Amino acid sequence: MTLRAFRGELLSVPQDPRDAPDAVCHEPDGLLVVEDGRVVARGAYETTLRSFPGVAVEKLPGLVVPGFIDAHVHYPQTDCIASYGEQLLDWLDTHIFPAEKAFADKDHAAEVAAFFLDELLRNGTTSALVYPTVHEASVDALFEAALERDMRIVSGKVLMDRGPEGLADTLASGRVATAALIRRWRGRGRLGYAVTPRFALASSDAQLADAGALLSEYPEVLMHTHLSENIHEIAAVAARFPDSTDYLDVYDRFGLVTARSVFAHGVHLSDRACSRLRSSGAGVAVCPSSNLFLGSGHFDFGQADRHGLRLGLGTDIGAGTSFSMLQTAGLAYQAALAREDRLDPFRALYLATAGSAGLLRIGDRVGSLQPGQEADFVVLDCAATPLLARRTANADLATRLFALQILGDERAIART
């Protein structure tokens, strides 16, 4: 048994402040006690220390928050970040699909996976729901690298039997590879699996139906795909599936809308789709950086809140322009304000931690630094840059956290 204690200013938001006014947990002078990688106690320093006489205490200067949880990101697109000039569908054809073909090479996939995960950690992200490619080796490379770093990563082979040459599987090969990967990686380290149809246009009806069958067959896995990201994409989906009520209804007809479903983007949702997401328990990974970069639009937080949707936050590299969940939260604030909604800094922290953990069905394990959870946390430095230091000098907690959300990036991550 290894007991460690950390003294510092502790902050987490285990519940959505939209629904729980007392959601914020804050100890200005707190103690976090960790045993074998799990939180065993948390509270005010003076009172909590009495229960652990003689324990060595490490002082952490800065604001201690849960490790960030990226609810939607593409590791094979790391080298395509900042690719010029296209909206979603043309951007995929021009930049992304050619780059993803290289992930048939396991060595290439391993090199990118190592860089990608190190970049997540450098930005304070300790857990993520990750798109690989259609290649089985791309999943193996990512999971092997995650095991080495003891990260909590959820991923799964992309299904796309209507993909371009070099990126298309078949109904049979997609199922065989998915089942093999689930068996190979089930229960290893801190890994999880997600059935991953790329999006409705990339799979045949038969493959979408089989993805639903896989989701039913393996009750421990998630379903991860894209939804209502871009108006041209939505029009193409409507043309292909004229009998469906809307984009979400396409997935619903194939058994893909469940409490284990994570839909990325959801920029343009009907009220009917929102009601169905709520009733199913499915959630949306909001990706403001990507939506701005590709000209897709701004997520409607007001609509989502009226329907009580489950939300998390994703960087969506490489359409997203930063691995930093702080920067991504800052852009989420701006996206909300563009629709005359306000995203306060405590709710932004919730979306980047416990909210995303809830989407990934790992909220009992990470995201809020509560006793019994895994001890993934980061230390934020409010003086990481001269501007941050000036803005946060003598400021209250909300002001400091908002300044980190708007002005912070990887430089504000003192430790992961």
Side-chain angles (χ1 to χ4, degrees), residues 291-312:
N291 297 334
L292 179 63
F293 180 73
L294 292 179
S296 298
H298 298 304
F299 182 79
D300 193 337
F301 281 95
Q303 180 193 45
D305 289 347
R306 285 192 300 274
H307 288 275
L309 297 190
R310 296 172 57 240
L311 303 177

Side-chain angles (χ1 to χ4, degrees), residues 7-10 26-31 43-48 59:
R7 182 181 184 180
E9 184 178 9
L10 308 180
H26 177 230
E27 292 90 6
D29 183 15
L31 189 70
Y45 172 73
E46 293 290 350
T47 55
T48 307
K59 183 75 166 64

Side-chain angles (χ1 to χ4, degrees), residues 11-17 23-26 63 343-353 396-399 401-402 405:
L11 173 65
S12 66
V13 188
Q15 302 175 74
D16 193 336
V24 176
C25 296
H26 177 230
L63 186 61
L343 179 66
D344 76 69
F346 296 106
R347 189 168 189 218
L349 179 61
Y350 165 80
L351 293 177
T353 55
D396 63 17
L397 176 62
T399 301
L401 189 60
F402 187 62
Q405 178 185 344

Side-chain angles (χ1 to χ4, degrees), residues 167-186:
L167 281 181
D169 57 6
T170 66
L171 175 63
S173 68
R175 166 168 273 277
V176 168
T178 297
L181 285 162
I182 292 171
R183 288 194 300 270
R184 183 151 68 245
W185 291 102
R186 176 187 280 154

Side-chain angles (χ1 to χ4, degrees), residues 79-98:
D79 294 330
C80 294
I81 197 169
S83 292
Y84 172 77
E86 309 286 355
Q87 286 201 351
L88 175 63
L89 297 180
D90 292 331
W91 176 80
L92 288 171
D93 289 337
T94 303
H95 301 296
I96 301 307
F97 290 155

Side-chain angles (χ1 to χ4, degrees), residues 116-126 149 151 413 416:
F116 167 82
L117 293 178
D118 287 345
E119 196 69 7
L120 288 184
L121 291 170
R122 199 167 67 87
N123 282 273
T125 298
T126 56
R149 291 159 179 79
M151 295 176 72
I413 309 298
T416 302

